Amino acid sequence: MLNQEVKFQWEKLVAQINQDRIAYYIHDNPVSSDQEYDERMHELLELERQFPDLVTQNSPSQRVGAQLEVGFEAVPHPSRLYSLDDVFEMDKLDDFDSAVDHASNSVFVNPGTLSSDSHTSFNLEANKHEDSNSEKIDAGKYLCELKIDGLSVNLVYQDSFLIKGLTRGDGEVGEDVTNNIYTIESIPKRLPGSINIEVRGEVFLAKKDFETLNRQQEELAKPLFANPRNAAAGSLRQKDPKVSASRNLSFYAHGVAGEVDYTKQSQVYELFHEWGIPISPYNRVVNTIEDAKKYIEEYGDKRSEIEYEIDGVVIKVNDLGLQRELGFTSRIPRWAIAYKYPPSQVHTKLLDIQTQVGRTGRVTPFAILDPQVLSGSIVSRATLHNAFEIERKDIRIGDTVILQKAGDVIPQIVGPVLKLRNGTEQIFQMPTKCPSCGALLVYEKLGDADLRCPNSEDCPAQLVERVINLASRKALDIEALGDKSALALCENIISSIENFFDLDEKQLSQNAFFVNLSGELSKNARELLSQIRQAKTKSLDRKLIALSIRHVGPNYAKLLVKHFPDLDTLAAANPDRLAEINGIGPEVALSIFDWFQDSRHQAIIQSWKKAGVTFDSDSYRSNFDSDVKLPLFGLTIVPTGTLENFTRESIKVTIESNGGKVTNSVSKNTDYLLIGKNAGSKLTKAQQLGVKVITELEFVQLLESPA
Ligand SMILES: [Zn+2]
């Protein structure tokens, strides 16, 4: 038989060893010395030798090095997590307030209730609050907290060590996601002193991290996460902690169970804060239910400014003695209530699907919607990404669709409301011709998701997008040149970016957009001319982005200026020379080379030079390669077999555009053999040479991991 002490000794060692491994293999930031680690490992093996029943397949003794996968075993919560009663009307809060008052005035004291719940509970040995029952509590009666749209978890600290991280599950039993919880750096792995406590809280993704994640998903042609909660759940429920670690998960505590001896919940939060457990800065103690309503209104207005998604406000009785007195129903605590904001999803009619053309000719569909107010702004358009996404969601013209805001500002169509279909809905077909210039659209390569307009020089839509790109913050940062100015410029003033730097007052006044009522050049137009002059001497990497060279965004632009002293040297470089640069593969090298060979592009450069645009690099060879952060930087990868999500071409581009090199044969210098179905002789060769073999899933995880 295992006694509790031995079991705990083992759990503590496992926790420490796994934390060490995550710090070492995933964060690349060891927290223990090799010696400490070896000693723990030795101690663990010794303990498991004495008590073989301790050994599970998840024990570090059964796994080597970076094997840290999460198994999602069902584990009972030491004390139960309750859910909260949701209300949607402010009036219901008055009922709640009356019930609280009734209890606080009542003479009945519920003795020795041992409570626990998703938001708060305590086992208080000494009853320190005898007096609090007899007087009405008005000072700091309620604690208001924003309700985060994330995933509830229970962190179990034993003797101050974080030994388990569990999802909420059904409140009684959760899933073991401990190793993924260990990757969340803001969660302390050890508390001061020696305490047994359960910290409840929310794991979530900030809006910006949610958007980044969905952009990555989009680039990898993976389904997008519908909302930050799904994304947080998906990120925490990863088998490989490395993936969880890459997702930038955050945590705020909102409850506790165990040995905490305080009179107010807000004091417990202060204690947590001292311990380094993250607490939301938006929590507020108020005196009356009216003040709580004001808090709800205040954050209802400011909802879009909060850095993470919220769906309501939780109001809790702040006094812990009174919490105990109020107790629980079978399902919920009587001392807390959740007010839910109106959903940030709305139904609307999909009136039409149209397409737009990007600066490199990519044609993307977007939805024209019956305008609807959503999270405080009117939405009448939403991107649909590509034809495959429309097909996957089965969205048809005429459908009533569910519209929501993903993250901060981007409206997104979740899907159709199928039961409202009446048979008149139309399945969308991508156009065969460019909606702007009428050129026949093409797939550039087999297996591409996007159709493109090949008329790169004369397509008006592409020109507008190139002007917008040129003015964007990452390029020349010309604030006075927004979307509307760009449209006006391209309408009748310029027909290529070639003459952009020659723009003058006379040219601008040809379009009414730049002229004010008294017939003079508008203030914005004069500002535009001044900003164009200033842009002439901005850094070379910005100019490279402004030229709209295919594939050249901020990463490649910075890489190029470190290897070439000026634009002429870069323009003269052959593809082999370009591909020699670590981080630039043959595909991208060829695309850069081709761009400079085109006489129309040479004309742009000549014309810009004549207008006084400088093309020297100040950062040439300074700080060599230091700030280039591509996930596959410096890796040589050999793909083989049939991949599920990539064609032969697209895998090449994906590897190269993430900084890796693709070769066709396996050698000692190969970092990874990426295998799909029916991988043949290359696999055998890789095994002989000891080259690491990865699956498509592992490859995608590699892409998602921080460089
Ligand atoms: Zn076109």
Side-chain angles (χ1 to χ4, degrees), residues 34-61:
D34 289 356
Q35 196 192 342
E36 283 168 323
Y37 176 83
D38 290 343
E39 279 167 12
R40 279 183 196 132
M41 207 51 208
H42 184 77
E43 207 180 325
L44 180 83
L45 292 171
E46 184 56 30
L47 200 64
E48 291 184 350
R49 195 186 58 76
Q50 282 180 42
F51 304 96
D53 285 356
L54 285 170
V55 184
T56 69
Q57 60 168 31
N58 287 324
S59 168
S61 65

Side-chain angles (χ1 to χ4, degrees), residues 524-574:
N524 184 67
R526 286 200 305 271
E527 186 59 38
L528 174 58
L529 289 174
S530 141
Q531 288 181 8
I532 290 175
R533 273 194 300 277
Q534 288 162 23
K536 290 179 184 176
T537 50
K538 290 205 169 164
S539 60
L540 179 57
D541 56 324
R542 288 174 173 276
K543 309 256 173 62
L544 291 177
I545 300 168
L547 287 168
S548 277
I549 304 168
R550 181 97 171 263
H551 297 304
V552 178
N555 271 326
Y556 282 130
K558 285 208 182 76
L559 199 53
L560 289 169
V561 301
K562 290 210 163 86
H563 288 80
F564 296 96
D566 53 50
L567 189 80
D568 291 341
T569 325
L570 170 62
N574 63 32

Side-chain angles (χ1 to χ4, degrees), residues 458-471:
D458 299 316
C459 178
Q462 291 187 48
L463 176 61
V464 172
E465 293 299 323
R466 277 201 284 271
V467 171
I468 291 172
N469 169 67
L470 174 152

Side-chain angles (χ1 to χ4, degrees), residues 41 123 309 373 468 481 495 502 525 570 692:
M41 207 51 208
N123 307 330
E309 200 73 35
V373 177
I468 291 172
L481 181 49
S495 57
D502 300 327
L570 170 62
K692 194 164 170 33

Side-chain angles (χ1 to χ4, degrees), residues 382-540:
T383 178
L384 291 166
H385 304 287
N386 59 51
F388 297 102
E389 191 74 2
I390 297 174
E391 200 183 322
R392 190 177 69 80
K393 291 181 174 168
D394 187 23
I395 297 168
R396 302 180 188 180
I397 298 166
D399 264 336
T400 299
V401 292
I402 303 163
L403 184 67
Q404 71 178 16
K405 280 210 174 161
D408 207 359
V409 284
I410 305 161
Q412 184 188 74
I413 291 177
V414 181
V417 184
L418 291 175
K419 63 172 189 238
L420 293 179
R421 274 197 182 151
N422 62 14
T424 62
E425 296 77 16
Q426 306 263 312
I427 292 176
F428 169 73
Q429 298 284 347
M430 279 297 273
T432 51
K433 289 181 177 164
C434 173
S436 178
C437 70
L440 211 58
L441 299 180
V442 291
Y443 287 106
E444 196 160 77
K445 291 185 218 84
L446 209 65
D448 275 0
D450 300 312
L451 277 167
R452 286 176 188 278
C453 166
N455 181 16
S456 59
E457 294 314 313
D458 299 316
C459 178
Q462 291 187 48
L463 176 61
V464 172
E465 293 299 323
R466 277 201 284 271
V467 171
I468 291 172
N469 169 67
L470 174 152
S472 69
R473 200 165 295 171
K474 59 182 193 290
L476 298 178
D477 197 13
I478 300 175
E479 232 174 80
L481 181 49
D483 295 5
K484 284 185 184 147
S485 312
L487 270 173
L489 271 186
C490 299
E491 199 174 58
N492 62 343
I493 301 177
I494 57 171
S495 57
S496 151
I497 56 171
E498 183 178 334
N499 305 110
F500 180 76
F501 285 97
D502 300 327
L503 281 172
D504 57 22
E505 294 188 12
K506 196 169 158 241
Q507 282 175 303
L508 285 190
S509 53
Q510 286 166 22
N511 191 304
F513 181 83
F514 296 108
V515 178
N516 64 22
L517 289 175
S518 43
E520 293 163 340
L521 215 55
S522 70
K523 192 163 166 255
N524 184 67
R526 286 200 305 271
E527 186 59 38
L528 174 58
L529 289 174
S530 141
Q531 288 181 8
I532 290 175
R533 273 194 300 277
Q534 288 162 23
K536 290 179 184 176
T537 50
K538 290 205 169 164
S539 60
L540 179 57

